[in-house]
Short mmCIF file of all heavy atoms in Angstrom, two decimals:
data_model
loop_
_atom_site.label_atom_id
_atom_site.label_comp_id
_atom_site.label_asym_id
_atom_site.label_seq_id
_atom_site.Cartn_x
_atom_site.Cartn_y
_atom_site.Cartn_z
N ILE L 1479 41.09 -15.19 -75.81
CA ILE L 1479 39.74 -15.51 -75.34
C ILE L 1479 39.73 -16.85 -74.62
O ILE L 1479 39.14 -17.01 -73.55
CB ILE L 1479 38.76 -15.53 -76.53
CG1 ILE L 1479 38.60 -14.11 -77.10
CG2 ILE L 1479 37.40 -16.07 -76.10
CD1 ILE L 1479 37.76 -14.06 -78.36
N LEU L 1480 40.42 -17.85 -75.22
CA LEU L 1480 40.48 -19.16 -74.58
C LEU L 1480 41.18 -19.09 -73.24
O LEU L 1480 40.79 -19.73 -72.26
CB LEU L 1480 41.20 -20.15 -75.50
CG LEU L 1480 40.46 -20.55 -76.78
CD1 LEU L 1480 41.36 -21.41 -77.66
CD2 LEU L 1480 39.17 -21.29 -76.43
N PHE L 1481 42.24 -18.26 -73.19
CA PHE L 1481 42.98 -18.12 -71.93
C PHE L 1481 42.09 -17.51 -70.85
O PHE L 1481 42.06 -17.96 -69.71
CB PHE L 1481 44.22 -17.26 -72.16
CG PHE L 1481 45.00 -17.00 -70.90
CD1 PHE L 1481 45.80 -17.98 -70.33
CD2 PHE L 1481 44.93 -15.75 -70.26
CE1 PHE L 1481 46.51 -17.74 -69.18
CE2 PHE L 1481 45.63 -15.51 -69.10
CZ PHE L 1481 46.42 -16.50 -68.56
N LEU L 1482 41.34 -16.48 -71.24
CA LEU L 1482 40.44 -15.83 -70.27
C LEU L 1482 39.35 -16.78 -69.81
O LEU L 1482 38.97 -16.79 -68.63
CB LEU L 1482 39.83 -14.57 -70.91
CG LEU L 1482 40.79 -13.40 -71.11
CD1 LEU L 1482 40.10 -12.29 -71.90
CD2 LEU L 1482 41.28 -12.87 -69.77
N MET L 1483 38.83 -17.60 -70.75
CA MET L 1483 37.80 -18.56 -70.37
C MET L 1483 38.36 -19.60 -69.40
O MET L 1483 37.69 -19.98 -68.44
CB MET L 1483 37.26 -19.25 -71.62
CG MET L 1483 36.42 -18.34 -72.52
SD MET L 1483 35.89 -19.18 -74.02
CE MET L 1483 34.80 -20.44 -73.33
N LEU L 1484 39.60 -20.04 -69.63
CA LEU L 1484 40.23 -21.01 -68.74
C LEU L 1484 40.43 -20.41 -67.36
O LEU L 1484 40.17 -21.04 -66.34
CB LEU L 1484 41.57 -21.47 -69.32
CG LEU L 1484 42.39 -22.44 -68.46
CD1 LEU L 1484 41.60 -23.72 -68.22
CD2 LEU L 1484 43.73 -22.74 -69.12
N CYS L 1485 40.90 -19.17 -67.29
CA CYS L 1485 41.10 -18.49 -66.00
C CYS L 1485 39.79 -18.37 -65.25
O CYS L 1485 39.72 -18.59 -64.03
CB CYS L 1485 41.72 -17.11 -66.21
SG CYS L 1485 43.44 -17.16 -66.74
N PHE L 1486 38.72 -18.04 -65.99
CA PHE L 1486 37.41 -17.91 -65.35
C PHE L 1486 36.97 -19.24 -64.76
O PHE L 1486 36.46 -19.31 -63.65
CB PHE L 1486 36.38 -17.42 -66.37
CG PHE L 1486 34.98 -17.38 -65.83
CD1 PHE L 1486 34.56 -16.34 -65.02
CD2 PHE L 1486 34.08 -18.41 -66.12
CE1 PHE L 1486 33.28 -16.33 -64.50
CE2 PHE L 1486 32.81 -18.40 -65.61
CZ PHE L 1486 32.39 -17.35 -64.79
N PHE L 1487 37.21 -20.32 -65.53
CA PHE L 1487 36.82 -21.64 -65.06
C PHE L 1487 37.58 -22.03 -63.79
O PHE L 1487 37.01 -22.52 -62.82
CB PHE L 1487 37.08 -22.68 -66.14
CG PHE L 1487 36.80 -24.10 -65.72
CD1 PHE L 1487 35.50 -24.57 -65.63
CD2 PHE L 1487 37.84 -24.95 -65.39
CE1 PHE L 1487 35.24 -25.87 -65.22
CE2 PHE L 1487 37.59 -26.25 -64.98
CZ PHE L 1487 36.28 -26.71 -64.91
N VAL L 1488 38.89 -21.77 -63.77
CA VAL L 1488 39.71 -22.11 -62.60
C VAL L 1488 39.25 -21.32 -61.38
O VAL L 1488 39.09 -21.86 -60.28
CB VAL L 1488 41.21 -21.84 -62.89
CG1 VAL L 1488 42.02 -21.98 -61.62
CG2 VAL L 1488 41.71 -22.79 -63.96
N VAL L 1489 39.02 -20.02 -61.56
CA VAL L 1489 38.57 -19.19 -60.44
C VAL L 1489 37.20 -19.64 -59.96
O VAL L 1489 36.93 -19.74 -58.76
CB VAL L 1489 38.52 -17.70 -60.86
CG1 VAL L 1489 37.83 -16.86 -59.78
CG2 VAL L 1489 39.92 -17.19 -61.11
N PHE L 1490 36.30 -19.99 -60.90
CA PHE L 1490 34.95 -20.41 -60.54
C PHE L 1490 34.99 -21.68 -59.71
O PHE L 1490 34.33 -21.79 -58.68
CB PHE L 1490 34.13 -20.65 -61.80
CG PHE L 1490 32.75 -21.17 -61.52
CD1 PHE L 1490 31.73 -20.31 -61.11
CD2 PHE L 1490 32.46 -22.52 -61.68
CE1 PHE L 1490 30.47 -20.80 -60.84
CE2 PHE L 1490 31.21 -23.00 -61.41
CZ PHE L 1490 30.20 -22.15 -61.00
N VAL L 1491 35.80 -22.65 -60.14
CA VAL L 1491 35.88 -23.92 -59.42
C VAL L 1491 36.52 -23.74 -58.05
O VAL L 1491 36.06 -24.25 -57.04
CB VAL L 1491 36.67 -24.96 -60.25
CG1 VAL L 1491 36.94 -26.21 -59.43
CG2 VAL L 1491 35.90 -25.30 -61.52
N SER L 1492 37.61 -22.95 -57.99
CA SER L 1492 38.34 -22.81 -56.74
C SER L 1492 37.57 -21.99 -55.71
O SER L 1492 37.85 -22.07 -54.53
CB SER L 1492 39.72 -22.17 -57.00
OG SER L 1492 39.55 -20.87 -57.51
N CYS L 1493 36.60 -21.19 -56.19
CA CYS L 1493 35.85 -20.34 -55.27
C CYS L 1493 34.49 -20.92 -54.92
O CYS L 1493 33.59 -20.18 -54.52
CB CYS L 1493 35.66 -18.94 -55.88
SG CYS L 1493 37.21 -18.03 -56.04
N LYS L 1494 34.32 -22.23 -55.12
CA LYS L 1494 33.06 -22.85 -54.77
C LYS L 1494 32.75 -22.61 -53.30
O LYS L 1494 33.57 -22.83 -52.43
CB LYS L 1494 33.12 -24.36 -55.05
CG LYS L 1494 31.79 -25.06 -54.79
CD LYS L 1494 31.86 -26.50 -55.24
CE LYS L 1494 30.53 -27.20 -54.98
NZ LYS L 1494 30.55 -28.60 -55.44
N GLU L 1495 31.54 -22.14 -53.06
CA GLU L 1495 31.16 -21.79 -51.70
C GLU L 1495 30.97 -23.03 -50.84
O GLU L 1495 30.38 -24.02 -51.27
CB GLU L 1495 29.85 -20.99 -51.72
CG GLU L 1495 29.98 -19.58 -52.30
CD GLU L 1495 30.80 -18.68 -51.39
OE1 GLU L 1495 30.69 -18.82 -50.16
OE2 GLU L 1495 31.55 -17.85 -51.91
N PRO L 1496 31.48 -23.00 -49.59
CA PRO L 1496 31.21 -24.10 -48.68
C PRO L 1496 29.72 -24.23 -48.42
O PRO L 1496 29.00 -23.23 -48.39
CB PRO L 1496 31.96 -23.70 -47.40
CG PRO L 1496 32.97 -22.69 -47.84
CD PRO L 1496 32.35 -21.97 -49.00
N LYS L 1497 29.26 -25.44 -48.23
CA LYS L 1497 27.85 -25.65 -47.93
C LYS L 1497 27.53 -25.10 -46.55
O LYS L 1497 28.32 -25.25 -45.60
CB LYS L 1497 27.52 -27.14 -47.99
CG LYS L 1497 26.06 -27.44 -47.71
CD LYS L 1497 25.74 -28.91 -47.91
CE LYS L 1497 24.27 -29.17 -47.66
NZ LYS L 1497 23.91 -30.59 -47.88
#
Side-chain angles (χ1 to χ4, degrees):
I1479 293 174
L1480 291 174
F1481 177 76
L1482 289 173
M1483 290 176 66
L1484 177 61
C1485 289
F1486 175 79
F1487 176 77
V1488 171
V1489 170
F1490 177 79
V1491 171
S1492 63
C1493 293
K1494 184 173 180 178
E1495 290 292 324
K1497 181 174 181 178

